[in-house]
Amino acid sequence: ALEAAARDSGPITITDTGYEAAPTCFRMPHKKPKGGELTIDQRQFNKAIGAVRALAEKANADLKTRFKALRHVSLDPWRIGAV
């Protein structure tokens, strides 16, 4: 579904390095090649992705610690408002 939406309107999803074979709409950090080094551009790209992901992960953690009802939520995130 994300790939189809990316073709239509161009949203980009930032991920971690676990999505190796993901479609092009996913942006993930560059992995260091075996026996090599990342270029300066690749390192800067990794820093930018890490900074954006850190904000989102902090916001999620804040929600779960500040609102007791959300600590054990395992349902669809879009339905959390109903809780």
Side-chain angles (χ1 to χ4, degrees):
L2 281 173
E3 191 172 13
R7 275 186 303 235
D8 297 339
S9 59
I12 295 173
T13 303
I14 297 173
T15 65
D16 58 18
T17 54
Y19 294 87
E20 288 184 32
T24 57
C25 64
F26 289 92
R27 296 293 186 260
M28 62 205 77
H30 296 282
K31 288 185 176 181
K32 182 177 169 186
K34 203 178 247 186
E37 291 293 326
L38 294 175
T39 65
I40 292 173
D41 289 340
Q42 290 172 328
R43 286 191 299 240
Q44 292 299 320
F45 181 79
N46 287 356
K47 282 183 185 180
I49 285 182
V52 172
R53 286 191 69 235
L55 290 174
E57 290 179 17
K58 182 184 182 318
N60 187 36
D62 284 348
L63 281 174
K64 289 189 174 189
T65 56
R66 291 189 182 164
F67 298 99
K68 197 173 189 176
L70 297 178
R71 287 186 188 159
H72 301 289
V73 172
S74 61
L75 52 91
D76 181 4
W78 292 103
R79 294 194 52 221
I80 289 176
V83 173

